[in-house]
Amino acid sequence: HPPPPPTHPRHNKLLDALSLASTTPTEKRTQKRETILRALFKSLTQHTSPPAGLEAVRSRYESSVLPSCLHSLRYGVGPEQYAACRCLEACAVLLGDGDEY
């Protein structure tokens, strides 16, 4: 069997951010949640390249990104809520119908 292709560092950063996002609802400190969401936004906007990056976001959207953002919108404070909105907006652009933008 041939060796698996090397994983791109940007894709690894995206996967790390998506994984970390799933911890947001259990994180008690608002500053830490905001930091996680800011890192997620950066990864969504700078490290998501098709097709692997888009598939990673699509496959983790409902299990990781959406719960994290909704929790921060409901229970967070201003900067954290803003970071959550930015993540949701980035996902809408990435996963939505390209004809609408």
Side-chain angles (χ1 to χ4, degrees):
H1 297 295
T7 306
H8 196 278
R10 287 180 176 251
H11 187 71
N12 287 341
K13 287 182 180 181
L14 173 63
L15 294 178
D16 290 345
L18 289 168
S19 177
L20 198 55
S22 66
T23 68
T24 302
T26 59
E27 175 58 52
K28 297 195 183 320
R29 294 173 295 161
T30 187
Q31 180 64 39
K32 179 70 173 175
R33 291 192 307 260
E34 179 191 350
T35 301
I36 292 169
L37 289 169
R38 290 169 59 103
L40 177 61
F41 177 77
K42 181 178 180 179
S43 290
L44 289 169
T45 58
Q46 297 179 16
H47 303 146
T48 303
S49 57
L54 287 176
E55 185 53 39
V57 173
R58 186 174 287 114
S59 69
R60 291 170 178 84
Y61 180 74
E62 288 190 23
S63 64
S64 181
V65 177
L66 189 58
S68 174
C69 291
L70 291 178
H71 181 272
S72 291
L73 287 171
R74 287 184 185 125
Y75 305 109
V77 294
E80 179 186 349
Q81 291 172 331
Y82 180 67
C85 286
R86 291 180 71 197
C87 290
L88 291 173
E89 181 180 19
C91 285
V93 171
L94 287 170
L95 303 176
D97 184 4
D99 294 337
E100 294 180 15
Y101 298 102

